[in-house]
Amino acid sequence: MKTVVKRRGDVHVNEAINSSQVNEYKNLENHVLIDVRETDELEQTGFVPGAVHYPLSSFEDFIDEFDKDKTYVVMCHSGGRSRNVQEYLQGLGYKAINVEGGITLYDGEVEYL
């Protein structure tokens, strides 16, 4: 699924996957699954095994850890915050894919903090 978003005269393609595709994408070479929910949310609903946790409230503190040779699969509760992070990363020149539906629609294995 691809969505075209126009910004300041430029056209950006925002790729999105649904929650059922998370395990497939997180196992692809050079793909990193990141969860941008806050810590208390991960404690309540769990998180996808292998996901790297970068809370949205302090996301910018971690940007130096990102690699432009990787593709970031971004997940949150339902897909809204992750879409914002996707657009932010793309604006900085990173490749990012949004997980539409987030953890709410994910039906795979989860781990808890």
Side-chain angles (χ1 to χ4, degrees), residues 28-101:
L28 293 174
E29 187 175 342
N30 291 321
H31 283 61
V32 178
L33 176 63
I34 61 174
D35 193 321
V36 297
R37 294 176 296 147
E38 300 302 321
T39 301
D40 63 323
E41 292 177 273
L42 271 64
E43 292 171 344
Q44 293 171 9
T45 59
F47 59 94
V48 177
V52 181
H53 183 217
Y54 294 115
L56 185 60
S57 61
S58 57
F59 188 81
E60 291 179 334
D61 296 343
F62 299 101
I63 201 65
D64 290 339
E65 297 177 19
F66 286 69
D67 179 346
K68 291 194 176 172
D69 292 327
K70 298 193 181 290
T71 298
Y72 295 92
V73 180
V74 190
M75 174 174 232
C76 67
H77 180 74
S78 61
R81 288 175 286 178
S82 55
R83 183 176 41 255
N84 291 337
V85 169
Q86 174 194 28
E87 292 173 0
Y88 173 75
L89 288 171
Q90 288 175 335
L92 296 175
Y94 295 95
K95 293 171 260 176
I97 299 170
N98 183 41
V99 178
E100 300 220 338

Side-chain angles (χ1 to χ4, degrees), residues 1-5 11-16 86 90 96:
M1 164 185 329
K2 293 190 183 213
T3 308
V4 177
V5 178
V11 176
H12 300 275
V13 176
N14 289 336
E15 185 175 353
Q86 174 194 28
Q90 288 175 335

